[in-house]
Amino acid sequence: MSNRSYSFTHAITRKPGKSAVDGLRAVDTGTPDLDTFLSHHADYIAALKATGAVVTELEALEDFPDSVFVEDTALCLQEGAVVLRPGAPTRLKEAEAMAPTLRELYDEVLTIEGPGHIEGGDILTTETEILVGTSARTDDAGIKELAGLVAQWGYKVRKLNTPEGVLHFKTDCSLLDENTILSTRRLADAGCFEGYNVILVADGEEACANTIRFNEKVIMPAGFPKTEQAVREAGYDVVTVGNSEAAKLDGGMSCLSLRFSPIKK
Ligand code: CIR
């Protein structure tokens, strides 16, 4: 069975900078501690590498407090990458800063030119389709432009709604395998995962719905024992990584990397 949606040879990460303390957040739950953030970030990279991935580790960009959350800057597929257009004004130019790295790794790099906006946190690539949630950061025009670009590589884009008050579509869901999605109840109840198996995160553990499947591992944030157990019991090989500091900035496991296997000509 093909599994291009979670088998990856490469990842890109970016170190959190000192300016991360000024990162965007919906609710202030305290200032992230940079040393702890750096230590969690190193654990995260080690978890990616342990699956066999080559990780491009970029230096911090102090001008962009949220630039550790590289996922929002690009959509990485096998055939090429698309530089996105973040809807948060303070993050718009982060995408441009990622483009040279993508050009080193891919033959083809396309760009969302606007006027629409789209962030990677709103995009869930499954084996058969690309699901994109509209949100405060991602609008219809951004989704339409993305759909037009990726059609040339044979991808279908399906537009959905991110639940009200939720930052990104993938704040509430993750891909576990070809047919299985980990989701919060509120997102699954919206009916967007028909045809997929859904594993629900435990009530009260919604903050771990943002998890990643990376090769043979499911990388989950630490501290969500009921959901971790459910995912293990479903047969997945789980590794947990501390996420307390990224969580203060509404960030989780997917936000911290771009994951892909570029096809080089
Ligand atoms: C932001 O608000 O943009 C960052 N503080 C968090 C971004 C999280 N990214 C993601 O879910 N893909």
Side-chain angles (χ1 to χ4, degrees):
M1 194 177 277
S2 108
N3 49 32
R4 62 182 176 172
S5 54
Y6 63 84
S7 289
F8 305 118
T9 54
H10 289 70
I12 301 174
T13 60
R14 188 182 291 288
K15 228 182 214 165
K18 293 189 192 72
S19 65
V21 296
D22 298 321
L24 298 171
R25 66 209 82 174
V27 179
D28 199 353
T29 58
T31 305
D33 175 75
L34 186 59
D35 288 340
T36 310
F37 202 167
L38 284 167
S39 150
H40 288 166
H41 197 252
D43 293 345
Y44 178 82
I45 291 169
L48 297 179
K49 286 184 177 168
T51 74
V54 175
V55 183
T56 302
E57 299 173 52
L58 300 174
E59 283 309 315
L61 281 182
E62 294 297 350
D63 287 348
F64 298 104
D66 286 295
S67 55
V68 62
F69 302 117
V70 287
E71 174 180 65
D72 295 315
T73 65
L75 174 64
C76 292
L77 300 167
Q78 288 188 328
E79 298 80 357
V82 182
V83 178
L84 299 175
R85 198 157 181 274
T90 57
R91 303 201 59 193
L92 187 57
K93 292 226 160 87
E94 268 177 46
E96 217 170 284
M98 183 56 73
T101 305
L102 295 171
R103 287 197 193 100
E104 280 168 25
L105 294 160
Y106 276 103
D107 291 330
E108 196 159 11
V109 177
L110 308 176
T111 303
I112 299 285
E113 303 288 356
H117 293 279
I118 180 162
E119 295 192 355
D122 284 312
I123 306 176
L124 181 74
T125 304
T126 80
E127 213 53 46
T128 52
E129 57 181 346
I130 297 177
L131 307 179
V132 190
T134 51
S135 71
R137 304 288 182 82
T138 293
D139 55 27
D140 288 353
I143 298 173
K144 196 166 169 215
E145 191 175 347
L146 180 76
L149 292 178
V150 299
Q152 63 189 285
W153 297 326
Y155 291 89
K156 275 184 304 182
V157 169
R158 179 154 64 101
K159 188 177 87 172
L160 298 158
N161 296 316
T162 301
E164 197 59 37
V166 174
L167 174 61
H168 285 130
F169 184 69
K170 263 187 327 206
T171 305
D172 268 28
C173 66
S174 322
L175 186 82
L176 293 181
D177 66 30
E178 295 85 350
N179 305 311
T180 312
I181 287 173
L182 177 71
S183 176
T184 60
R185 192 180 296 278
R186 66 188 164 206
L187 184 59
D189 280 354
C192 40
F193 299 132
E194 237 165 79
Y196 292 92
N197 303 323
V198 175
I199 297 180
L200 292 178
V201 303
D203 290 338
E205 293 191 349
E206 286 73 14
C208 74
N210 183 274
T211 283
I212 53 172
R213 172 74 189 267
F214 196 107
N215 296 333
E216 290 317 305
K217 299 285 180 191
V218 171
I219 307 178
M220 294 186 68
F224 301 93
K226 291 186 201 145
T227 309
E228 183 187 332
Q229 192 185 341
V231 174
R232 282 188 198 281
E233 281 172 5
Y236 299 96
D237 190 355
V238 176
V239 50
T240 61
V241 175
N243 190 55
S244 56
E245 308 315 293
K248 290 173 186 165
L249 304 174
D250 306 327
M253 296 291 105
S254 78
C255 326
L256 295 170
S257 62
L258 288 165
R259 303 162 293 278
F260 53 101
S261 296
I263 301 173
K264 281 278 192 186
K265 280 175 215 127

